Amino acid sequence: MLMKKIEAIIKPFKLDDVKSALSEVGITGMTISEVRGYGRQKGHSEMYRGAEYVVEFVPKIKLEIVVSADRATEVVAKIREHAYTGKIGDGKIFVSPIEYAVRVRTGEENKEAV
């Protein structure tokens, strides 16, 4: 059974939309991390108590989802549709192959472990 790992970096305020959309297509598990980084926007400037400072690393959310290979395209499309704002910094989606998976508690492997 071929599996794919989908990693998506999205804007934090889009998390609920993306999570709801993925639930509607049967995605029952994902890992979410708060991350910080920058791409083309290279951070931004903000004012705090009259002083300007540069925020070099922008807060983002990283989703990690493992699905059967035949569902990867559908999941990527849902993430893209619901994470989209049309503004710089909407994020990225990466898809990688997964060779093997094991559920620690039961010892189930591959598709059954996911």
Side-chain angles (χ1 to χ4, degrees):
M1 181 65 180
L2 298 175
M3 295 178 294
K4 300 285 184 175
K5 179 179 183 181
I6 300 167
E7 295 178 75
I9 310 297
I10 64 172
K11 292 182 175 185
F13 69 89
K14 297 302 282 181
L15 176 60
D16 288 338
D17 290 344
V18 171
K19 185 176 158 242
S20 295
L22 292 174
S23 292
E24 289 173 9
V25 295
I27 301 301
T28 58
M30 67 183 76
T31 300
I32 300 170
S33 306
E34 293 180 11
V35 296
R36 294 165 36 100
Y38 71 88
R40 291 184 181 159
Q41 80 263 30
K42 306 238 193 296
H44 61 279
S45 297
E46 290 186 5
M47 296 291 285
Y48 180 72
R49 294 189 179 182
E52 183 178 24
Y53 66 100
V54 177
V55 177
E56 291 186 42
F57 296 99
V58 179
K60 301 283 185 170
I61 295 293
K62 179 179 181 182
L63 304 172
E64 296 175 85
I65 305 161
V66 176
V67 297
S68 60
D70 61 333
R71 300 218 47 216
T73 302
E74 172 191 22
V75 171
V76 167
K78 279 291 180 190
I79 294 170
R80 184 168 184 265
E81 176 186 351
H82 291 275
Y84 177 83
T85 67
K87 297 192 167 102
I88 194 165
D90 269 356
K92 299 271 193 297
I93 303 171
F94 305 98
V95 181
S96 307
I98 296 292
E99 293 182 21
Y100 184 62
V102 177
R103 183 184 309 266
V104 173
R105 181 177 57 85
T106 63
E108 293 170 297
E109 298 178 346
N110 296 322
K111 181 182 174 187
E112 290 77 26
V114 179

